[in-house]
Amino acid sequence: MLGCKVWQYAIPQYRKGHLDILADIEESEKDAPGFFMGGNYRTGVAFGDCVQYGINEAAKVAEFLKEGAEAGGVAVSMSASA
């Protein structure tokens, strides 16, 4: 996690130009295969939306790694620390 902001009294609102920023991010991701950028700035702050977005992104990452491994071009190493 890069940062966290607690909004005491309201749900945060996106600023003017937010959709342009999202479009730029999507273009950047296309230019950098294997780079996945996620967060509630893309789908909203509702818990259910964040969870669903995480599930969807995890599926995209898994597919990317599977395709790379099948092509012999990606070494996959996953570890978890307690």
Side-chain angles (χ1 to χ4, degrees):
M1 177 178 2
L2 297 177
C4 179
K5 172 69 176 162
V6 177
W7 296 89
Q8 296 291 332
Y9 304 106
I11 294 175
Q13 302 296 307
Y14 296 120
R15 294 181 180 181
K16 184 177 180 179
H18 182 75
L19 295 178
D20 295 330
I21 293 169
L22 291 179
D24 289 343
I25 290 170
E26 288 179 20
E27 285 301 312
S28 295
E29 287 177 325
K30 290 177 187 174
D31 293 337
F35 177 72
F36 300 90
M37 194 167 170
N40 63 4
Y41 61 90
R42 287 187 116 159
T43 60
V45 298
F47 180 74
D49 292 338
C50 292
V51 170
Q52 187 60 56
Y53 178 75
I55 291 168
N56 295 346
E57 286 300 293
K60 289 179 188 177
V61 171
E63 184 62 27
F64 174 81
L65 294 174
K66 179 182 172 188
E67 289 173 2
E70 289 172 355
V74 175
V76 178
S77 174
M78 300 176 121
S79 62
S81 57

